[in-house]
Amino acid sequence: MSILSGKKVLLGVTGGIAAYKTPLIVRLLIKQGAEVKVVMTPSATDFVTPLTLSTLSQNPVVSTFTAEGEGDHPNWNNHVELALWADLMLIAPATSNTISSMVNARCNNLLLACYLSAQCPVYIAPAMDLDMYVHPANQKNMTQLERFGHVIFPAQEGFLASGLEGKGRMMEPEAIVTALAQSLAEKAPLYGKTVLITAGPTFEAIDPVRFIGNHSSGKMGFALAEEAAKLGAKVVLVSGPTALKAINPTIKLVAVISAQEMFTAVFKHYDTVDIAIAAAAVADFTPTNPVDQKIKKKSGLLEINLKPTLDILAEMGKQKKAQFLLGFALETQNELENAMAKCQKKNADAIVLNSLNDQDAGFGGDKNKITFIRKNGTTTAFELKTKTEVAADIFAQIIASI
Ligand code: CTP
């Protein structure tokens, strides 16, 4: 899944010949899952039709402060609403005239009104003739826009509409969309970090067809993995048997069955990760001697000898260097006290306490009610929420702690 997926992009098109390439920008953004609305300057409509852009963006295209309404009353195109709708604004192509107006807060068209109202990151792809591009006035204006915190996608070398050759062409649509995605990724809070998550149950074989397992669905661990990926992290998800699939294709899913396999998979990655989360419901015991052949039904009692499994979280605690280590705890009595003791004993940085006091929360279900407990003893309790929302709360706590 692209980082642009679900992002609301306001594309501002100004009146330069490169406007003929903007339908391709819209297509590429839509292909990456973005929602696109287009605002044009009136002169941009001479270069590319609003119909083309509205068809491709599947949204109305606006270029004037008012539009034809019912009877004698025109409709007002609300620039503030449009600007605040956007997660990001891309102005491509940006002409010398528009760039100068942006620097000077001129507001003589709807696009500029949207720009001045926008609270989101702004990206600008200038396009103009080569001498205009290098003119000190334009260079000064572009530097000023960068000082405002905007990102300039610099013009490229090549043939220009004037017949001259040089720097001034708008960056190609593919390159603009790639640069946009890269810039968003770099702004993501977990960009450059690797997160390791254990999820689901483990199955401990008794014989080739029977096992000791538990009812963990893996939903909490998978929700954490999706959230980490959304926040820009590289994610390794080591999961026991579940029916779930990772949605974000950047998540590396390592499927395991037993506690021993989960242990081995975790320690292949643990050294190099920044954050490790033990959300798996690892079996505490495993049969001492699993047999190769199916055990036949016999009269009398069958005894299965069990031995403890390796504690993956405790081992991560022992080997901890710079990682932020988070465990989970499910307690039925003295919840806070026991969870805190677990945090200390396993050398975790924090523990998420799952409450069993709400019948909608916990194993198998879609909701969870948690308390985030830090190793210094401070706690934050949350309401009953969906596991996706809980995952967002947990990462907000982790990000605040690292
Ligand atoms: N855990 C683990 N490996 C195990 C057992 C547990 O990594 N073999 C992790 C779980 O993923 C969870 C935490 O340890 O993050 C706490 O698990 P829990 O079952 O609540 O605690 P236990 O240590 O098993 O203790 P008890 O069951 O006695 O409360």
Side-chain angles (χ1 to χ4, degrees):
M1 193 190 294
S2 159
I3 193 145
L4 283 159
S5 174
K7 287 276 182 305
K8 297 189 180 90
V9 181
L10 180 59
L11 174 64
V13 182
T14 75
I17 181 64
Y20 85 90
K21 292 182 178 173
T22 53
L24 199 52
I25 299 180
V26 176
R27 275 199 64 146
L28 291 166
L29 289 169
I30 296 273
K31 227 170 145 183
Q32 300 224 11
E35 202 181 326
V36 183
K37 289 189 181 178
V38 181
V39 56
M40 305 173 79
T41 60
S43 66
T45 62
D46 293 334
F47 292 96
V48 60
T49 72
L51 181 62
T52 308
L53 294 170
S54 64
T55 306
L56 290 171
S57 66
Q58 296 155 14
N59 272 313
V61 171
V62 284
S63 58
T64 51
F65 283 104
T66 55
E68 233 173 74
E70 303 261 312
D72 293 338
H73 303 290
N75 282 332
W76 182 51
N77 285 326
N78 188 333
H79 60 90
V80 179
E81 211 170 82
L82 200 51
L84 295 184
W85 166 86
D87 294 322
L88 66 98
M89 184 172 189
L90 166 66
I91 302 176
T95 57
S96 169
N97 188 29
T98 293
I99 286 173
S100 161
S101 299
M102 288 162 76
V103 170
N104 293 293
R106 279 167 55 82
C107 191
N108 59 354
N109 63 45
L110 185 66
L111 185 151
L112 290 166
C114 287
Y115 161 71
L116 290 168
S117 307
Q119 299 296 303
C120 56
V122 177
Y123 298 84
I124 300 150
M128 56 193 85
D129 210 46
L130 77 167
D131 294 320
M132 289 169 78
Y133 190 69
V134 292
H135 194 285
N138 264 320
Q139 289 297 315
K140 184 173 152 241
N141 283 343
M142 284 186 269
T143 305
Q144 187 55 48
L145 290 178
E146 282 178 328
R147 284 203 190 112
F148 291 165
H150 307 333
V151 178
I152 305 270
F153 294 146
Q156 308 293 298
E157 300 265 350
F159 286 106
L160 302 167
S162 60
L164 299 174
E165 202 179 332
K167 199 170 185 181
R169 282 166 68 96
M170 184 179 77
M171 191 185 264
E172 289 301 326
E174 288 85 357
I176 288 180
V177 175
T178 305
L180 206 55
Q182 177 65 20
S183 170
L184 283 180
E186 283 167 15
K187 285 192 171 96
L190 293 181
Y191 176 74
K193 304 247 185 264
T194 305
V195 178
L196 172 67
I197 299 169
T198 68
T202 64
F203 288 177
E204 309 302 321
I206 297 169
D207 70 13
V209 292
R210 303 182 183 92
F211 58 83
I212 297 171
N214 61 64
H215 291 299
S216 168
S217 64
K219 285 179 184 168
M220 193 63 246
F222 275 67
L224 285 162
E226 297 294 343
E227 180 65 19
K230 202 170 110 189
L231 293 168
K234 268 196 199 158
V235 182
V236 181
L237 174 61
V238 179
S239 176
T242 77
L244 302 174
K245 290 199 165 53
I247 298 165
N248 193 314
T250 64
I251 296 171
K252 182 180 155 100
L253 177 63
V254 183
V256 297
I257 295 176
S258 65
Q260 181 59 56
E261 281 178 25
M262 186 172 276
F263 185 94
T264 306
V266 161
F267 288 98
K268 265 194 189 141
H269 297 92
Y270 184 61
D271 262 357
T272 56
V273 305
D274 302 284
I275 297 167
I277 304 178
V282 186
D284 286 326
F285 295 95
T286 190
T288 316
N289 293 310
V291 291
D292 293 342
Q293 303 299 325
K294 188 179 166 204
I295 298 169
K296 284 288 189 199
K297 193 164 38 172
K298 291 187 213 131
S299 54
L301 288 174
L302 172 69
E303 275 187 15
I304 301 170
N305 290 318
L306 301 173
K307 62 177 182 190
T309 54
L310 294 166
D311 191 319
I312 302 168
L313 176 60
E315 188 57 33
M316 285 199 278
K318 265 189 212 147
Q319 297 188 24
K320 185 152 74 83
K321 292 187 188 100
Q323 298 93 335
F324 183 92
L325 182 59
L326 178 73
F328 273 72
L330 188 69
E331 306 293 338
T332 47
Q333 49 190 345
N334 301 331
E335 288 185 314
L336 275 176
E337 210 182 323
N338 282 342
M340 178 65 76
K342 208 166 269 180
C343 186
Q344 306 290 349
K345 197 173 121 206
K346 302 198 186 193
N347 194 28
D349 294 292
I351 281 271
V352 170
L353 171 66
N354 276 324
S355 175
L356 271 184
N357 296 335
D358 201 307
Q359 61 175 24
D360 290 331
F363 263 27
D366 290 322
K367 292 189 174 168
N368 225 354
K369 189 169 178 185
I370 62 149
T371 303
F372 192 89
I373 305 171
R374 294 164 209 88
K375 67 177 172 199
N376 66 7
T378 58
T379 63
T380 308
F382 294 89
E383 294 302 306
L384 180 70
K385 294 185 180 187
T386 65
K387 287 184 175 171
T388 301
E389 291 167 331
V390 171
D393 287 339
I394 289 173
F395 272 105
Q397 295 297 322
I398 295 174
I399 289 166
S401 312
I402 55 178

